[in-house]
Amino acid sequence: MAKQQTEVRDLQEGSYVMIEDTPCVINAYSTAKPGKHGSAKARVEGKGVFDSKKRNFTQPVDAKVWVPIIDRKQGQVINVDGNDMQVMDLETYETITMRVPDGVDPSSNDEIEYLEYEGQRKIV
């Protein structure tokens, strides 16, 4: 698995974190001061990178969490067929088939940027 461990205190808005074993981008991060009931706590709200579902967790700031290593890649559209398109990775020349997301109208020879994590891909 392409992920690494870090402490909750090192997370920032806009970075990635694993919530419920799903890679998420952090939308909100807030902390509560240490007090009568223990150490400082952090509340992290995230949105799934590939499924767009909202998730959150609250943990002590010194707890360890997993951070996914998501690759940002460049590709060239080879063919568009209905809701699917064939994309050639510009580094490895590997050809992959991807769903055409709503609101995007790709055509042949367009260069796109996409995210990849453990076989999941999303056009940026």
Side-chain angles (χ1 to χ4, degrees), residues 73 87-96 114 116 121:
K73 296 184 170 187
V87 177
M88 179 179 67
D89 189 305
L90 292 179
E91 289 182 15
T92 63
Y93 303 110
E94 175 188 5
T95 303
I96 53 178
Y114 64 96
E116 184 177 59
R121 296 178 184 93

Side-chain angles (χ1 to χ4, degrees), residues 43-61:
R43 178 175 168 79
V44 178
E45 295 178 14
K47 181 178 174 185
V49 174
F50 300 105
D51 62 3
S52 300
K53 286 186 179 177
K54 289 184 179 180
R55 296 177 176 87
N56 62 57
F57 69 86
T58 303
Q59 288 190 343
V61 293

Side-chain angles (χ1 to χ4, degrees), residues 1-16:
M1 289 192 142
K3 58 185 179 181
Q4 61 185 16
Q5 252 187 340
T6 189
E7 289 188 351
V8 173
R9 76 178 78 215
D10 296 331
L11 298 175
Q12 298 177 354
E13 289 184 20
S15 62
Y16 298 112

Side-chain angles (χ1 to χ4, degrees), residues 17-24 44-47 55-57:
V17 67
M18 295 294 285
I19 303 176
E20 300 171 6
D21 290 330
T22 304
C24 296
V44 178
E45 295 178 14
K47 181 178 174 185
R55 296 177 176 87
N56 62 57
F57 69 86

